[in-house]
Amino acid sequence: MTSSMLRGRPRRATSHISVRVAHAVLGGAVGVVWLVLPVMTSGGDAPVAIKNPAPGASAAAADDDEKSTVDLVLPLVAVGAAGALAGYGYLRRVRRTRARTTPGGAGSPPPRSSSPLAALDEEACAALVEADDRVRAARTELGFAGEPRAPEDLETFRRAVRAAEGELTAAFRMRQRYDEGVPKEEAAREHALAGILGRCAEAGRRLDSVAGEFGRLRGLEQGLGEALGVAESRFRELAGRAGASAAVLAGLRERYAPTATASVTGSVEQAKDRLLFATVRLNRARQSADSGQPERAARHLRAAEGAIAQAAVFVEGVDRLAAELRTAEQTVPAALTGAEAELAWARGRTDPAARRRPAPVPASPPPDAPDPVAQAAAAGTTVGGFQARLLHVDAVLGSVRQELTGGQPRDPVGVLRRVLRATAPVASGRAGVLPAAALITARSATAAAADFVATHRGAVGATARTRLAEAERLLATGDPADRPPADVLALEARELAERDVRAHGNPYVDAVDAEETAGTGGAVLGGIVPAEDPEDGTPAGFAGPARPAPARRGPA
């Protein structure tokens, strides 16, 4: 479709030409009037008798002849000049139009559009989400299939899931680098997106290769068998644990600040919501099996298994957070002492008088410990700027120390994060407790983000999943230097995921039939059933991504 800019150019060119032609016509009209005016003024006078001219009269007559000649020549010159200027302007305008090199000119090639790259980017993001959902659902299926069978019976399927996870991990790593601007060239970025698509497709093929065998192993389409009993047993177990988790969460809220338990706010309620959905689907699975509809029964059972698995994530998240807060609370005093030792050593490197004062921990730095002054100089920071950093560290540590002695509810993981971030610019590695504290914060943030994505994957996009995958990769390296960035990425992943969920909303809040849609909104949000057909759609897993149920050919 032609843009308004391109449509406007011919009209503007025509208007310029019209103006120039009008100028030429006006100049010609003025010249003609100038020529005709003397004739018109002289034609109405009465004849005058001619007498013998005097000498002075001859000179006057000569002047009149010269004026008459000038009056005739000047209009002709004006008309010619006006015509020449109009012609020159017209030709110049035509040449500029033909030789134009700006976008939209007649002779310029159309500008290259970035829409193919944008479309490929959207396709890559969708492929990442679909592959991640399918791998997560396959893990859930594998977990329920393993209880009544020997471990060696499932080894083939575990290898397939691990291979798919490897492909997906590589795809997320490529996506993270892409988001960081690597590579920069457009052709290379297109190649990177194509690589992501290829990795995601390969992850799907790994699961496809064993999907048929896995379906025969479970045999749900031929009859629910022991699978229904396994799901109902886990359901009853989680229903009891949900009540205990509510008590644990109430105790955490009394002991710690609200920020300490923010990651599990509403977890117990959401666990009960998933269990409510599981109750409905387990009943439907049994009814469908009794009425001779094994395929329908299998779909309902798999949906119930997904809901039970997510309820377990919510319940276990509360118990894990309680353990993390206890560990962090025990680590805070040692981390604070270690941070003060780092601060004293850094001051000794810049203040000779401070070197004679003992440090809180009289330990020697390791041989390869970085020099904070040299680090600051390498980063372009002056000695005065480094001193300002030391003052900031001192202020943060003093504030933390005051909180510890104040007896107010606090956030132990948040306190450790504050200490670590304040001390990072001056850290030398002499305080071994600080890397341990960094591991606590990174693990806590990564686990919280992973739980949120797992239980809200129906709404979480590719960017949040990519940041989470990168945080998990850095945390798995075991390098203390990778723990702070892993913590930052995990917090970002959680924030992005929450933003996606807020934008998604819940379409089942005002459902008319509450019994039929009980827990359906949470199940759609959790990616357990497809949003297009949550009642009869096929859940994701070994058999493929979540999809609506096929059209029925007969009575249900």
Side-chain angles (χ1 to χ4, degrees):
M1 183 176 180
T2 307
S3 66
S4 60
M5 182 180 293
L6 296 181
R7 289 196 301 268
R9 289 188 184 277
R11 288 195 288 270
R12 287 200 295 269
T14 304
S15 64
H16 281 297
I17 295 173
S18 301
V19 171
R20 295 181 185 278
V21 172
H23 287 171
V25 173
L26 180 61
V30 172
V32 171
V33 172
W34 202 345
L35 287 172
V36 176
L37 186 60
V39 177
M40 295 176 62
T41 55
S42 62
D45 294 338
V48 179
I50 300 176
K51 302 180 180 179
N52 291 330
S58 300
D63 292 339
D64 292 339
D65 291 339
E66 292 177 1
K67 292 179 180 180
S68 177
T69 303
V70 171
D71 290 340
L72 292 174
V73 172
L74 286 179
L76 294 176
V77 172
V79 172
L85 289 174
Y88 171 75
Y90 174 75
L91 293 176
R92 186 167 178 265
R93 179 70 182 178
V94 171
R95 284 196 300 267
R96 287 179 59 189
T97 303
R98 291 178 179 176
R100 185 181 298 275
T101 57
T102 56
S108 64
R112 185 175 183 181
S113 175
S114 60
S115 57
L117 184 62
L120 191 62
D121 188 10
E122 292 180 3
E123 186 179 355
C125 289
L128 281 170
V129 171
E130 181 178 307
D132 189 39
D133 284 347
R134 189 176 175 188
V135 169
R136 291 175 183 273
R139 287 197 211 108
T140 299
E141 282 191 287
L142 199 57
F144 278 90
E147 187 165 319
R149 295 174 179 85
E152 56 270 15
D153 295 338
L154 301 176
E155 185 57 31
T156 299
F157 310 109
R158 291 195 178 97
R159 284 198 302 268
V161 171
R162 286 195 296 267
E165 290 173 343
E167 297 291 341
L168 188 59
T169 299
F172 275 126
R173 178 57 181 154
M174 294 171 67
R175 182 70 209 192
Q176 177 66 26
R177 290 178 60 81
Y178 182 90
D179 291 343
E180 293 171 353
V182 180
K184 296 182 179 180
E185 298 78 10
E186 184 173 350
R189 290 178 74 78
E190 290 182 0
H191 182 72
L193 293 175
I196 293 173
L197 289 171
R199 292 284 189 175
C200 293
E202 181 61 24
R205 283 192 290 269
R206 298 281 184 159
L207 297 178
D208 290 338
S209 64
V210 297
E213 185 179 355
F214 185 77
R216 289 188 294 272
L217 176 71
R218 297 204 72 185
L220 297 181
E221 281 71 15
Q222 288 73 40
L224 300 183
E226 297 179 354
L228 182 59
V230 171
E232 290 176 339
S233 175
R234 293 194 184 183
F235 170 86
R236 290 189 292 269
E237 177 191 355
L238 281 171
R241 291 177 60 189
S245 295
V248 171
L249 183 57
L252 295 178
R253 288 172 176 168
E254 291 179 1
R255 181 177 180 84
Y256 301 106
T259 55
T261 59
S263 63
V264 295
T265 299
S267 291
V268 175
E269 290 77 10
Q270 292 188 71
K272 293 179 180 179
D273 182 74
R274 297 295 193 277
L275 292 176
L276 178 62
F277 177 82
T279 300
V280 174
R281 290 308 174 99
L282 288 173
N283 291 335
R284 290 185 183 180
R286 187 175 292 279
Q287 293 170 1
S288 298
D290 294 341
S291 61
Q293 300 178 15
E295 294 184 359
R296 186 179 177 88
R299 288 199 301 270
H300 288 315
L301 177 60
R302 290 176 58 199
E305 290 174 347
I308 293 170
Q310 290 194 8
V313 172
F314 285 120
V315 171
E316 291 167 2
V318 174
D319 297 337
R320 186 194 63 249
L321 179 64
E324 290 172 351
L325 291 175
R326 287 193 298 269
T327 302
E329 192 173 22
Q330 296 169 0
T331 309
V332 165
L336 184 59
T337 302
E340 290 174 342
E342 292 280 10
L343 177 61
W345 187 75
R347 280 175 172 166
R349 301 293 296 176
T350 57
D351 183 8
R355 299 181 184 179
R356 295 190 293 268
R357 296 195 295 267
V361 178
S364 300
D368 57 347
D371 187 344
V373 179
Q375 284 183 325
T381 304
T382 62
V383 176
F386 187 71
Q387 291 287 352
R389 286 183 178 180
L390 296 180
L391 292 176
H392 172 70
V393 175
D394 193 17
V396 172
L397 298 183
S399 174
V400 170
R401 179 70 70 181
Q402 185 176 2
E403 290 179 9
L404 293 180
T405 58
Q408 298 178 351
R410 56 186 180 275
D411 179 0
V413 176
V415 169
L416 287 180
R417 187 172 287 118
R418 287 168 55 195
V419 171
L420 291 168
R421 291 183 176 180
T423 315
V426 300
S428 63
R430 62 181 288 133
V433 68
L434 294 183
L439 182 61
I440 293 173
T441 58
R443 280 180 175 172
S444 177
T446 304
D451 287 354
F452 190 88
V453 172
T455 54
H456 299 80
R457 65 174 189 260
V460 177
T463 304
R465 300 177 192 233
T466 301
R467 301 297 180 271
L468 173 60
E470 183 65 10
E472 291 173 338
R473 186 191 70 83
L474 292 175
L475 193 59
T477 62
D479 186 353
D482 289 336
R483 293 167 187 172
D487 182 50
V488 173
L489 286 166
L491 293 175
E492 182 184 0
R494 175 66 184 259
E495 181 181 358
L496 292 172
E498 290 178 349
R499 189 184 306 170
D500 291 340
V501 171
R502 288 194 297 269
H504 181 273
N506 186 354
Y508 292 91
V509 173
D510 299 323
V512 177
D513 194 342
E515 293 183 0
E516 290 296 322
T517 61
T520 301
V524 171
L525 192 63
I528 299 169
V529 292
E532 298 82 3
D533 187 7
E535 297 305 319
D536 294 307
T538 301
F542 276 97
R547 58 189 183 276
R552 297 186 180 91
R553 298 182 179 179

